[in-house]
Amino acid sequence: MKIGFIGLGQMGAAIARNLIEAGHDVTVWNRSADKAARLVAAGAHLAERPVDAAGGEIVLTMLADDAAVEAVTFGDNGILSSPARPIHVSLSTIGIPLAERLMQAHAEAGSVLVSAPVFGRPQAAAAAQLFVVAAGAADAIATCQPLFDTIGQRTFLIGDHPPQANLMKLCGNFLIGSVIEGLAEAMTLGRRGGIPKDRMLEVLTGTLFGAPIYNVYGDILAREKFHPAGFTAPLGLKDMNLVAEAANDARVPMPVLGVVRDHLLATIAQEGDTIDWSALGRIVERDAGF
Amino acid sequence: MKIGFIGLGQMGAAIARNLIEAGHDVTVWNRSADKAARLVAAGAHLAERPVDAAGGEIVLTMLADDAAVEAVTFGDNGILSSPARPIHVSLSTIGIPLAERLMQAHAEAGSVLVSAPVFGRPQAAAAAQLFVVAAGAADAIATCQPLFDTIGQRTFLIGDHPPQANLMKLCGNFLIGSVIEGLAEAMTLGRRGGIPKDRMLEVLTGTLFGAPIYNVYGDILAREKFHPAGFTAPLGLKDMNLVAEAANDARVPMPVLGVVRDHLLATIAQEGDTIDWSALGRIVERDAGF
Amino acid sequence: MKIGFIGLGQMGAAIARNLIEAGHDVTVWNRSADKAARLVAAGAHLAERPVDAAGGEIVLTMLADDAAVEAVTFGDNGILSSPARPIHVSLSTIGIPLAERLMQAHAEAGSVLVSAPVFGRPQAAAAAQLFVVAAGAADAIATCQPLFDTIGQRTFLIGDHPPQANLMKLCGNFLIGSVIEGLAEAMTLGRRGGIPKDRMLEVLTGTLFGAPIYNVYGDILAREKFHPAGFTAPLGLKDMNLVAEAANDARVPMPVLGVVRDHLLATIAQEGDTIDWSALGRIVERDAGF
Amino acid sequence: MKIGFIGLGQMGAAIARNLIEAGHDVTVWNRSADKAARLVAAGAHLAERPVDAAGGEIVLTMLADDAAVEAVTFGDNGILSSPARPIHVSLSTIGIPLAERLMQAHAEAGSVLVSAPVFGRPQAAAAAQLFVVAAGAADAIATCQPLFDTIGQRTFLIGDHPPQANLMKLCGNFLIGSVIEGLAEAMTLGRRGGIPKDRMLEVLTGTLFGAPIYNVYGDILAREKFHPAGFTAPLGLKDMNLVAEAANDARVPMPVLGVVRDHLLATIAQEGDTIDWSALGRIVERDAGF
């Protein structure tokens, strides 16, 4: 299939590479050209402007924040200006207001938005083991399904209203944050009582908490492997702020979200911008005097 | 093996029954005699006083709170007054100060305490699928292991200091509470955005949250099956208060614990004493205007 | 003095009236013209566009939110397009990013911004008893001082960096929110124990808490006078969100802010948009089963 | 009047001294005798046992915690064993369950309890500027009134049910804690924005927050005068735990209380036991990276 891919960070590059290797005709664009060069070496075409990556049947975007998605979508050289009217598959974790604005703009332009945010850290992306959470018009999703099958292990269909996939993703990311916070509090109390963190983790994952999320983040917390970051604290904070924006607009009080956000602020204030977001567990320990 | 079993509530009765059916010679005691009668019908001997259930090699206690454990252990007719000096296997979820006091009292009496709290709701107890978290002297635990194998699916050894098993259990129960709270906040936000609760749950458990705890409590929350309670809100609050006591003594701030406790207080204040503790999710929804 | 006044809501109308009565030559503008009519009846000139109110020495703005301030300042008919280059006195409670943007835009336009947010509810505005918190260039503030003396009982100078006055105001509003929340929690506990709310308030204000803020909000809480609102819950939430934005940018965790925001969300979700923001105390009581 | 005074810590010694200087015939008892010696030098009689201080018309107790009050009241040499049946004026900040138990025990013994906890730090006690919050039988309070007038600047009568005075005191202490927390959050945000702490305090106390509590604790926070402690962090935590116990029993969620307690835990964990409880403000600043 002739497709475009915009956004070649840690996640995007891994996903794009899988699409190239699956035999798709991929045109890539990235704000900093050096990252695109590596994909070109792997067989991709190079687009000079975002719109040049939107000449095929589908264009996928995987970008760090709302502003980046806005930049490549709206404006003179953005996706919406492409006469090809490709399906826009938005893989990024973005806010609900932007998702609604994208949906509306595509409707006005005669094109279609499919929101398809993914769960998984960079390793999962490289291994094509992502989970895809998709919402949009059924026929558009059907067209995209082969791509989802290439990049992920499973696709979940939420419905035909694209922003609901984004909301599902935000809820999931909030839950991940709440798991990190909960684990950190439990491990800190256990550690004070003489239970090693990895021993506690073994009991938890061996009993009721045997889910990937506890294995992945439990291990990071137990070994304090906060560098290099798989997902930095500022990115985590950005996502929690998107959840807070959605909760605010929906009038839903979420006190645990407040705790997670405050601890991410403390993490960034005390540890800087490059640390993994799970280092909020270090704040929990430090508060307890460790 | 000749053993005693004290405390025949929902959990205790199911466990004792499994021990009887495994062929052990079980003497039971319960504060209200009618519950004991059913076990006697199943083959148990009836003890008139707690001490009368402590004449064998091991005596197990499974009681609702610290006060009940104190009542059957200390005092004239308590376990400690038995000349048989059985190993005391404490299955209950109790506080750390009491666990330390029990340990010391047994040491002074020349007997041994094994703390072996269990994870699992009544159905798991009936199905002998509990998880046992044990700490105590190695030889005593070895003596108890056949019993643990009978009542549970797996035993985790924490070490030789009994209160650490109790702390492990408290940390686990806190984490369960934090999962309920997190799920409730996420589901409420999703519901406001039009995502049905069971759809969200399907995505969560199909991706990163595929653990028993999310299946069990997610289902309860999605269907609002808060009656009859598997574990009542006052019992949940009692456990969270034991965690808070441990956190207070250890100087460990646990903000999510505070959220869970406050929502349990609101649950009891608004819904009464007989509702399942997971109904704190109803408070989360109600706060959002549902 | 020849001045302009933009924004004639409850607060703005009261302030503008005091300026007119003090003999100033006041030109007013309001988005909905009917509110302006009343001021014209009191002696004001009517401006057709915001820029028409910016032809004198000073133009004051008192608007409900950041968007309204942006609308009257930037753009073709905004304050910045006035060749008179008046001092712009921003009385509104606005966010720090907008304050910085206003400051910069005025610097580029060759005019001057004085941030002068005020403390006080509508009655205080009408009685010319506001507190003015001002920051900006010293000579500009000196020019404005007679106006501040007319509308308020006292002016506090924060420094020459306008956004600091806005930050001071946001911190003050946060503290008001925290006082309401604290009072509500204390009064609810007291009420459960049989202490009437007004009795508790009498003790508090008669001992260590004898400040206007406790008198004003204590009385509202004790009598549950949430209608008509002096300051609605959505406006309170807007301000708390501006504080949260500042805290987020500054990496300052503020857990009590999180509590106040969540309770305002619950207030709006359960009570609607027209209730006073202090009705968050009703949520506190309702959570406790009242 | 012939009275007894039990408990000669910082607060108790200052109060007892004022009673002696007012001409009362005071018999004192303290667990460690050296503190009593100073009062004897000032004119007091020395009691060998608590009961020996309970031979007059009134016996006052001012002790650090519930356990100390229990120790001097119940038991062989306790106040209750005095045949003189003096009015027991309990000045200490104690929990509601103990207050109820004291009330009942006195009723059974044919004596009377007056709960009369006080607001004020040691300097206020020395200056006879305490606020007394009293509850109990009207005639008993009338008998005590001259003493209250001697030690304090004003007495508030809560009613005839003694525990309500204790609850009023706990609510007040909670509010003080919430003020410290709120101030610390606001000052930290302001400081990050370049507003000196004392400048912010000046604006706050000069506008809506002009109450003693903001002056006293604002000054301590602005100057970071946490040593020597007027009221140590462990004592503050003890009081907040008593509030939490009351809130738990009354089923009243108090999220700000949770924040204050967590910050006190962090204070003690990081700063030790001798620091003033207002040092929780240091934790707030530290979380923000200062």
Side-chain angles (χ1 to χ4, degrees):
Chain A
M1 209 185 299
K2 185 159 183 277
I3 61 179
F5 201 102
I6 293 174
L8 301 168
Q10 250 185 310
M11 291 292 291
I15 296 170
R17 190 173 293 269
N18 283 331
L19 291 168
I20 294 166
E21 286 176 6
H24 293 290
D25 179 7
V26 183
T27 302
V28 299
W29 185 86
N30 195 64
R31 200 177 42 175
S32 58
D34 56 327
K35 286 182 181 166
R38 269 171 267 163
L39 273 295
V40 170
H45 307 286
L46 184 66
E48 286 197 12
R49 306 165 305 170
V51 67
D52 299 328
E57 205 169 341
I58 296 172
V59 58
L60 303 99
T61 52
M62 186 58 170
L63 296 148
D65 55 29
D66 279 28
V69 174
E70 283 183 82
V72 304
T73 305
F74 304 101
D76 290 348
N77 298 314
I79 291 170
L80 284 167
S81 65
S82 166
R85 309 254 178 281
I87 297 170
H88 180 181
V89 177
S90 171
L91 303 169
S92 318
T93 301
I94 60 172
I96 305 309
L98 177 56
E100 285 170 348
R101 199 174 143 221
L102 286 175
M103 180 180 67
Q104 202 155 8
H106 275 291
E108 288 166 8
S111 49
V112 169
L113 173 73
V114 170
S115 280
V118 297
F119 283 104
R121 286 164 69 101
Q123 293 108 305
Q129 291 295 306
L130 296 170
F131 293 100
V132 180
V133 175
D139 54 347
I141 288 182
T143 304
C144 301
Q145 189 65 52
L147 304 189
F148 298 157
D149 294 342
T150 296
I151 68 174
Q153 62 176 288
R154 187 167 165 195
T155 302
F156 293 86
L157 303 183
I158 300 297
D160 55 9
H161 188 63
Q164 288 185 338
N166 301 99
L167 182 59
M168 180 66 233
K169 169 65 176 162
L170 291 180
C171 288
N173 278 18
F174 156 67
L175 267 186
I176 297 174
S178 79
V179 163
I180 298 171
E181 172 70 30
L183 267 178
E185 295 186 15
M187 282 177 165
T188 301
L189 179 58
R191 189 180 166 195
R192 269 271 169 262
I195 306 174
K197 287 194 274 190
D198 54 358
R199 190 81 198 95
M200 176 172 283
L201 187 61
E202 197 181 341
V203 176
L204 292 171
T205 56
T207 55
L208 305 173
F209 302 89
I213 201 66
Y214 286 90
N215 287 304
V216 169
Y217 281 105
D219 186 62
I220 293 175
L221 286 170
R223 297 167 188 263
E224 306 192 26
K225 295 191 307 188
F226 304 133
H227 289 287
F231 190 62
T232 63
L235 284 175
L237 179 61
K238 180 211 66 161
D239 281 7
M240 295 305 104
N241 282 340
L242 293 177
V243 181
E245 178 189 44
N248 190 74
D249 293 347
R251 309 306 192 204
V252 175
M254 296 178 73
V256 169
L257 176 63
V259 174
V260 174
R261 289 172 81 202
D262 278 338
H263 281 173
L264 283 171
L265 288 175
T267 303
I268 298 169
Q270 295 178 38
E271 300 280 337
D273 281 356
T274 62
I275 202 163
D276 197 81
W277 75 318
S278 56
L280 64 83
R282 182 171 284 174
I283 301 302
V284 172
E285 288 195 326
R286 193 171 292 161
D287 277 342
F290 281 107
Chain B
M1 209 183 300
K2 185 158 184 277
I3 62 179
F5 200 102
I6 294 174
L8 301 170
Q10 251 186 311
M11 292 291 292
I15 295 170
R17 189 173 295 268
N18 283 330
L19 290 168
I20 294 166
E21 286 176 4
H24 294 290
D25 178 8
V26 183
T27 301
V28 299
W29 184 87
N30 194 64
R31 201 177 42 175
S32 57
D34 54 327
K35 286 181 181 166
R38 270 170 268 165
L39 273 295
V40 170
H45 307 286
L46 184 67
E48 287 198 12
R49 305 166 304 169
V51 67
D52 300 327
E57 205 169 343
I58 295 172
V59 59
L60 303 100
T61 52
M62 185 59 171
L63 296 148
D65 55 29
D66 280 28
V69 174
E70 284 184 83
V72 303
T73 306
F74 303 102
D76 291 347
N77 299 315
I79 292 171
L80 284 167
S81 65
S82 166
R85 308 254 177 282
I87 297 170
H88 179 181
V89 177
S90 170
L91 303 169
S92 318
T93 301
I94 60 172
I96 307 308
L98 176 57
E100 286 169 348
R101 201 176 141 219
L102 285 175
M103 181 180 66
Q104 203 154 8
H106 275 291
E108 288 165 8
S111 49
V112 168
L113 173 73
V114 169
S115 278
V118 297
F119 283 105
R121 284 164 69 101
Q123 294 108 305
Q129 291 295 306
L130 295 171
F131 294 101
V132 180
V133 176
D139 54 348
I141 288 182
T143 304
C144 301
Q145 190 65 53
L147 303 190
F148 297 157
D149 294 343
T150 297
I151 68 174
Q153 60 176 289
R154 189 169 164 193
T155 303
F156 293 87
L157 302 184
I158 300 297
D160 56 9
H161 188 64
Q164 288 186 339
N166 300 99
L167 182 59
M168 179 67 233
K169 170 65 177 164
L170 290 180
C171 288
N173 277 19
F174 156 67
L175 266 186
I176 297 173
S178 79
V179 163
I180 298 171
E181 173 70 31
L183 267 177
E185 294 186 14
M187 281 176 164
T188 302
L189 179 58
R191 189 180 166 195
R192 268 270 169 263
I195 306 174
K197 288 194 274 189
D198 54 358
R199 190 81 198 95
M200 176 171 285
L201 186 62
E202 198 182 341
V203 176
L204 293 171
T205 55
T207 56
L208 306 173
F209 301 88
I213 201 67
Y214 286 91
N215 287 305
V216 169
Y217 281 105
D219 186 62
I220 293 176
L221 286 169
R223 297 166 189 262
E224 306 192 27
K225 294 191 306 187
F226 304 133
H227 290 288
F231 190 61
T232 63
L235 284 175
L237 178 62
K238 180 212 65 160
D239 280 7
M240 296 304 104
N241 282 340
L242 293 177
V243 181
E245 178 190 43
N248 189 74
D249 293 347
R251 309 308 192 204
V252 175
M254 297 178 72
V256 169
L257 175 63
V259 174
V260 174
R261 288 172 82 202
D262 277 338
H263 281 173
L264 284 172
L265 288 175
T267 303
I268 298 168
Q270 295 178 37
E271 300 280 338
D273 282 354
T274 61
I275 202 163
D276 197 81
W277 76 317
S278 56
L280 64 84
R282 182 171 283 174
I283 300 302
V284 172
E285 289 194 327
R286 194 171 290 162
D287 276 342
F290 281 106
Chain C
M1 209 183 300
K2 185 159 184 277
I3 62 179
F5 201 101
I6 294 175
L8 301 169
Q10 251 186 309
M11 292 291 292
I15 296 170
R17 190 173 294 268
N18 283 330
L19 291 168
I20 294 166
E21 288 176 3
H24 293 289
D25 178 7
V26 184
T27 302
V28 299
W29 185 88
N30 194 63
R31 201 176 43 174
S32 57
D34 55 326
K35 286 182 182 167
R38 270 170 268 163
L39 274 295
V40 170
H45 306 285
L46 184 66
E48 287 198 11
R49 306 165 304 170
V51 67
D52 300 327
E57 203 169 345
I58 295 173
V59 59
L60 303 100
T61 52
M62 186 57 170
L63 296 149
D65 56 29
D66 280 28
V69 174
E70 284 183 82
V72 303
T73 305
F74 303 100
D76 290 347
N77 298 315
I79 291 170
L80 283 168
S81 64
S82 165
R85 307 255 177 282
I87 297 170
H88 180 180
V89 177
S90 171
L91 303 171
S92 317
T93 300
I94 60 173
I96 306 308
L98 177 56
E100 286 169 348
R101 201 176 142 219
L102 285 175
M103 180 180 67
Q104 202 155 9
H106 275 291
E108 288 166 8
S111 49
V112 168
L113 173 72
V114 170
S115 278
V118 297
F119 283 104
R121 287 166 67 102
Q123 293 107 305
Q129 291 294 307
L130 295 171
F131 294 101
V132 180
V133 176
D139 55 347
I141 289 182
T143 304
C144 301
Q145 190 65 53
L147 303 190
F148 297 157
D149 294 343
T150 297
I151 68 175
Q153 60 177 291
R154 186 167 166 197
T155 303
F156 293 87
L157 303 184
I158 301 295
D160 56 9
H161 188 63
Q164 287 185 339
N166 300 99
L167 183 59
M168 181 65 232
K169 170 66 176 163
L170 291 180
C171 288
N173 277 19
F174 157 67
L175 266 187
I176 297 174
S178 79
V179 163
I180 298 171
E181 172 70 32
L183 267 179
E185 294 186 15
M187 281 176 165
T188 302
L189 179 58
R191 190 180 165 196
R192 268 271 170 263
I195 306 174
K197 289 195 275 190
D198 53 358
R199 190 79 198 96
M200 176 172 284
L201 187 61
E202 197 182 343
V203 176
L204 293 172
T205 55
T207 55
L208 306 173
F209 302 89
I213 201 66
Y214 286 90
N215 287 305
V216 169
Y217 281 105
D219 185 63
I220 293 176
L221 287 169
R223 297 167 189 261
E224 305 192 26
K225 295 192 305 189
F226 303 133
H227 290 287
F231 190 61
T232 64
L235 284 175
L237 179 61
K238 180 211 66 162
D239 280 7
M240 295 304 104
N241 282 340
L242 293 177
V243 181
E245 179 188 42
N248 190 73
D249 293 348
R251 310 306 192 205
V252 175
M254 297 178 72
V256 169
L257 175 64
V259 174
V260 174
R261 288 172 83 201
D262 278 338
H263 281 173
L264 283 171
L265 287 175
T267 303
I268 298 168
Q270 295 178 38
E271 300 281 338
D273 282 355
T274 60
I275 201 163
D276 196 80
W277 76 317
S278 56
L280 64 83
R282 182 171 283 175
I283 300 302
V284 172
E285 288 194 327
R286 194 171 291 162
D287 276 342
F290 282 107
Chain D
M1 211 183 301
K2 185 160 184 274
I3 62 179
F5 201 101
I6 294 175
L8 301 169
Q10 251 186 308
M11 292 291 292
I15 295 170
R17 189 173 295 270
N18 283 330
L19 291 168
I20 294 166
E21 287 177 4
H24 293 289
D25 178 7
V26 184
T27 302
V28 298
W29 185 86
N30 194 63
R31 200 178 43 174
S32 57
D34 55 326
K35 287 182 180 165
R38 268 171 268 163
L39 273 294
V40 170
H45 307 286
L46 183 66
E48 286 198 12
R49 305 166 305 170
V51 68
D52 299 328
E57 203 170 345
I58 295 173
V59 59
L60 303 99
T61 52
M62 186 58 170
L63 296 148
D65 55 29
D66 280 28
V69 174
E70 284 183 83
V72 304
T73 306
F74 303 100
D76 290 349
N77 299 313
I79 291 171
L80 284 167
S81 64
S82 165
R85 307 255 177 281
I87 296 171
H88 180 180
V89 176
S90 170
L91 303 170
S92 318
T93 301
I94 60 173
I96 306 309
L98 177 56
E100 286 169 349
R101 201 176 142 219
L102 286 175
M103 180 180 66
Q104 203 154 9
H106 275 291
E108 288 166 7
S111 48
V112 169
L113 173 73
V114 169
S115 279
V118 296
F119 283 105
R121 287 165 68 100
Q123 292 109 306
Q129 290 294 307
L130 295 171
F131 293 100
V132 180
V133 176
D139 54 346
I141 289 183
T143 304
C144 302
Q145 191 64 54
L147 304 190
F148 297 156
D149 294 342
T150 297
I151 67 174
Q153 60 177 289
R154 186 168 165 195
T155 302
F156 293 87
L157 302 184
I158 300 297
D160 56 9
H161 188 63
Q164 288 186 339
N166 301 99
L167 182 59
M168 180 66 233
K169 169 66 175 164
L170 291 180
C171 288
N173 278 19
F174 156 68
L175 266 186
I176 297 173
S178 80
V179 163
I180 298 172
E181 172 70 32
L183 267 178
E185 294 187 16
M187 281 176 165
T188 301
L189 179 58
R191 190 180 165 195
R192 267 271 170 261
I195 306 174
K197 288 194 275 189
D198 53 358
R199 189 81 197 92
M200 176 171 283
L201 187 62
E202 196 181 344
V203 176
L204 293 172
T205 55
T207 56
L208 305 174
F209 302 88
I213 201 67
Y214 286 91
N215 288 305
V216 169
Y217 281 105
D219 186 62
I220 294 176
L221 286 169
R223 297 167 188 262
E224 306 192 27
K225 294 191 305 188
F226 303 132
H227 288 289
F231 190 60
T232 65
L235 284 176
L237 178 62
K238 180 211 65 160
D239 280 6
M240 295 305 104
N241 282 340
L242 292 178
V243 181
E245 178 188 42
N248 189 74
D249 292 348
R251 308 309 191 202
V252 175
M254 297 178 71
V256 170
L257 175 64
V259 174
V260 173
R261 288 172 82 203
D262 277 339
H263 281 173
L264 284 172
L265 287 175
T267 303
I268 298 169
Q270 295 178 39
E271 301 280 337
D273 282 356
T274 61
I275 202 163
D276 196 81
W277 76 317
S278 56
L280 64 84
R282 182 171 283 174
I283 300 301
V284 172
E285 288 194 327
R286 194 172 290 161
D287 276 342
F290 282 106

